[in-house]
Amino acid sequence: MELTNSSAIVTGGASGLGAATVRALAERGARVVVFDRNEAGAKQVADEAGGEPFAGDVTDPEACQKAVDLAAEGGVLRVAVNCAGTGWAERVINREGKPHDIRGFEFLMRLNVIGTFNVMTKAAAAIAKTEPSVDGERGVIVNTASVAAFDGQIGQLAYSASKGAVVGMTLPAARDLSVVGIRVLTIAPGLFDTPLLASLPEEQRRALGESVLFPKLLGQPSQFAQLVVDIVGNRYLNGEVIRLDGGIRMPPR
Ligand SMILES: NC(=O)c1ccc[n+]([C@@H]2O[C@H](COP(=O)([O-])OP(=O)(O)OC[C@H]3O[C@@H](n4cnc5c(N)ncnc54)[C@H](O)[C@@H]3O)[C@@H](O)[C@H]2O)c1
């Protein structure tokens, strides 16, 4: 898929994996809408990448429609990447024997699953209206899961459930959208060096890097962005979940 003069939308584009993806898509000629609830961060990344900021919440369907409309106005919308998301640490029962609070579970399902659903569905509808390229392709949607979808650790009940749902949406979405020439893929990252992990002490970050099979390092956001670009460029990739994790398999804790 050729990105020159195209448009793209990246959620969670103000930080981490999303910000790196914005930069990589912009470098390849796309005008990128940086959709994030962090208004200042979205503006900064958009300014750097020559894109357009959109401040909003991915759990709000109306905001998602407006962000997608903005992307569709800026060129031929070809790419949507869902990176907005976060984690939640809570066990099934806590140390006092109290059950997992449903509010944390609902919060994460709303953000990680419904947020992805909102932007994927609205972006797909907009991409489906575009003229296809000569090979019949209209666009690509990339969602972000986590290795926690497969190797959920202690305290990751809500996070693993939410990322498992993102994994589960991949194949049916690719099947639904095959008729309009839109591919759907999911990346399941391992441990990446983003603001999510930056708060940890250096020693703990190094230990996390050591736990990776090879290379014994945290992943860099640019490596995630590189995979997004590779997915966009390789039209035979579809309906798949790709682990990007240096071969790590997460232990129970
Ligand atoms: N960093 C890792 O090691 C890692 C590993 C596996 C999966 N992931 C997943 O990758 C994605 C990106 O993670 P990251 O490390 O870049 O995180 P990050 O915290 O650096 O960036 C997430 C961005 O999403 C935005 N966001 C959060 N809630 C939002 C909402 N409701 N509406 C709009 N924007 C919202 C935040 O403002 C932030 O800019 C997440 O889904 C995360 O679960 C990350």
Side-chain angles (χ1 to χ4, degrees), residues 10 12-23 36 45 83 192-196 220-222 224-225:
V10 179
S15 175
L17 306 183
T21 302
V22 170
R23 293 186 190 105
D36 203 293
V45 174
C83 289
F192 274 73
D193 196 2
T194 69
L196 217 64
Q220 290 305 311
S222 60
F224 175 92

Side-chain angles (χ1 to χ4, degrees), residues 11-237:
T11 76
S15 175
L17 306 183
T21 302
V22 170
R23 293 186 190 105
L25 293 173
E27 273 166 23
R28 281 151 188 90
R31 178 183 164 282
V32 188
V33 167
V34 183
F35 181 4
D36 203 293
R37 67 174 177 192
N38 174 352
E39 189 170 2
K43 185 173 178 337
Q44 191 185 334
V45 174
D47 286 351
E48 278 166 27
E52 193 80 38
F54 184 91
D57 190 325
V58 293
T59 67
D60 173 0
E62 281 176 26
C64 293
Q65 189 60 61
K66 283 186 188 149
V68 166
D69 290 347
L70 181 67
E73 283 159 17
V76 185
L77 183 58
R78 291 292 188 214
V79 178
V81 185
N82 276 298
C83 289
T86 195
W88 187 273
E90 189 169 345
R91 296 186 189 196
V92 179
I93 47 173
N94 70 15
R95 288 203 171 85
E96 287 82 47
K98 287 216 181 92
H100 195 304
D101 192 328
I102 194 167
R103 284 171 296 186
F105 195 85
E106 279 180 344
F107 161 73
L108 216 57
M109 296 304 273
R110 189 158 288 284
L111 171 52
N112 292 354
V113 185
I114 294 177
T116 299
F117 164 87
N118 280 340
V119 175
M120 174 166 68
T121 51
K122 291 177 193 323
I127 296 171
K129 289 191 194 125
T130 63
E131 281 298 313
S133 61
V134 281
D135 47 25
E137 191 173 15
R138 284 191 172 81
V140 185
I141 295 171
V142 181
N143 297 326
T144 307
S146 163
V147 294
F150 312 104
D151 319 334
Q153 295 186 289
I154 284 172
Q156 287 192 325
L157 185 77
Y159 189 60
S160 294
S162 71
K163 294 304 189 177
V166 174
V167 165
M169 288 194 283
T170 310
L171 184 58
R175 286 176 164 168
D176 284 355
L177 297 173
S178 59
V179 287
V180 284
I182 300 173
R183 295 183 287 121
V184 182
L185 288 110
T186 293
I187 301 176
L191 299 170
F192 274 73
D193 196 2
T194 69
L196 217 64
L197 292 186
S199 54
L200 296 177
E202 184 52 35
E203 203 172 308
Q204 215 170 324
R205 284 154 39 86
R206 201 168 329 109
L208 281 175
E210 280 292 320
S211 68
V212 179
L213 193 62
F214 182 84
K216 294 203 169 298
L217 296 166
L218 295 175
Q220 290 305 311
S222 60
Q223 293 168 322
F224 175 92
Q226 186 188 334
L227 181 54
V228 173
V229 167
D230 290 345
I231 285 171
V232 170
N234 190 332
R235 62 188 297 257
Y236 208 59
L237 274 174

